[in-house]
Amino acid sequence: VQLQASGGGLVQSGGSLRLSCAASQRSFSRYIMGWFHQAPGKEREFVALIRWSGSITYYADSVKGRFTISRDNAKNTVYLQMNSLKPEDTAVYYCAATVEVTTIPDAYDYWGQGTQVTVSS
């Protein structure tokens, strides 16, 4: 599976961005897709995940109520809608794929290249 993340950019505090992650493989629908972020000098952290059916989603406490993860299996694409952005959301955002429901980065088998999100105060 090859993953291509896009949609990052510079936004003011309180603004919104939508990230996209396009997958190359037709069997994309059987994977659990996750979003992670990594700020400079920090470890990669879990943000959100969605199960292949879209029936299960899970979020980090820091983004609950602000971010929404969704997927379009017909387009092999997963999205992360980010609202009410804060300066502390500034990081490189990565999408990843795994076959198990987990928030642990090491358990994800495939990773996209990352897209920078910068939130100014």
Side-chain angles (χ1 to χ4, degrees):
V1 177
Q2 291 184 334
L3 304 175
Q4 180 75 32
S6 62
L10 173 63
V11 64
Q12 290 187 335
S13 181
S16 298
L17 284 173
R18 189 177 80 156
L19 306 183
S20 299
C21 177
S24 62
Q25 188 165 314
R26 290 184 179 181
S27 58
F28 161 79
S29 61
R30 68 185 182 95
Y31 286 96
I32 286 91
M33 300 299 296
W35 284 99
F36 294 80
H37 68 197
Q38 187 168 19
K42 296 187 177 181
E43 295 184 351
R44 194 166 297 187
E45 297 179 338
F46 169 77
V47 175
L49 65 80
I50 188 166
R51 196 172 178 181
W52 69 269
S53 65
S55 62
I56 293 178
T57 58
Y58 187 71
Y59 298 91
D61 288 342
S62 59
V63 306
K64 282 180 182 177
R66 301 189 298 123
F67 291 11
T68 302
I69 190 170
S70 61
R71 66 193 294 161
D72 185 336
N73 286 348
K75 296 182 178 180
N76 287 358
T77 301
V78 64
Y79 304 98
L80 185 68
Q81 178 66 44
M82 305 187 296
N83 298 329
S84 302
L85 283 161
K86 305 175 181 180
E88 51 262 44
D89 295 319
T90 295
V92 177
Y93 283 71
Y94 299 89
C95 59
T98 183
V99 295
E100 58 180 305
V101 179
T102 177
T103 63
I104 301 173
D106 287 348
Y108 282 72
D109 303 303
Y110 305 98
W111 290 85
Q113 84 286 5
T115 184
Q116 177 71 46
V117 171
T118 303
V119 185
S120 63
S121 57

